[in-house]
Amino acid sequence: MNVRKRLTVAGLTTVLSISGLGLALAPSASAEGACTGWRTIQVNHNAAGLKYRECDRYSGSKTQTKAQLYLWDNKHDGKVAQAFTATGSNLNGSWHQSWSRYYSWGNEKRHSPLIDTGWHKGHDVEVLLKAVQG
C-alpha cells in the first residue's frame, strides 16, 4: 500500500492518498468490497481531525472506490473541520478525478456521524483536511 502525505503552508493542509491495495486487502467481487484499516490525520495542533478508510470493489472490468470518514472539530476557535474527498485513478503518473465533494463539521462536543461517499469510478481516494472559518 502506498500512502502519500503532503503538507502545504497555507492552513497546514494534509492530503492522503491510498494507491493499490496489497494482496492481504485485495477486494472481492462482493457488493461491499474490501476496505483498508482506519487512518487518522490532524491539522493545527489537533484543532481539526479526520478518521477515514478507503473501500474498493470490482465488477468485471469496472473498479469502484469510496471513502468512509468521521470529522472532529476539537477547538472552540470559530473554525470548522472541512474535508475534501475525491475519487479517481492514477494513470501513467497523472491523476484522473471522477468525483469530488466537501464535507464540514463544527460541533466541538462530538464527532460527525459516519460519512459514506458512496461508490464512484476509480481505484483511489484522496482526502484533504483543513480548519476553515465557520
Side-chain angles (χ1 to χ4, degrees):
M1 185 175 315
N2 178 21
V3 177
R4 178 177 37 125
K5 289 186 181 181
R6 179 175 32 140
L7 293 174
T8 60
V9 178
L12 291 175
T13 304
T14 304
V15 175
L16 287 173
S17 175
I18 298 179
S19 302
L21 293 175
L23 293 177
L25 295 173
S28 66
S30 74
E32 290 305 310
C35 299
T36 64
W38 289 96
R39 304 214 180 265
T40 59
I41 54 176
Q42 302 168 348
V43 293
N44 299 354
H45 304 288
N46 199 26
L50 179 136
K51 180 177 177 180
Y52 84 102
R53 68 183 181 172
E54 175 185 354
C55 302
D56 293 306
R57 70 179 180 184
Y58 299 95
S59 177
S61 64
K62 297 182 189 244
T63 304
Q64 293 182 315
T65 189
K66 72 176 180 175
Q68 294 179 321
L69 55 109
Y70 295 96
L71 286 168
W72 278 267
D73 178 9
N74 296 322
K75 191 172 182 183
H76 187 70
D77 58 1
K79 294 181 179 179
V80 298
Q82 183 184 70
F84 172 77
T85 59
T87 61
S89 298
N90 282 309
L91 302 172
N92 300 321
S94 181
W95 174 252
H96 296 274
Q97 185 171 305
S98 61
W99 174 89
S100 66
R101 182 160 179 199
Y102 285 93
Y103 299 95
S104 297
W105 186 256
N107 185 340
E108 297 143 11
K109 296 179 183 175
R110 61 183 178 89
H111 62 74
S112 71
L114 176 67
I115 299 167
D116 188 313
T117 65
W119 295 106
H120 301 281
K121 181 181 177 182
H123 299 93
D124 297 315
V125 172
E126 287 194 354
V127 176
L128 172 100
L129 172 66
K130 58 185 174 179
V132 298
Q133 283 304 120

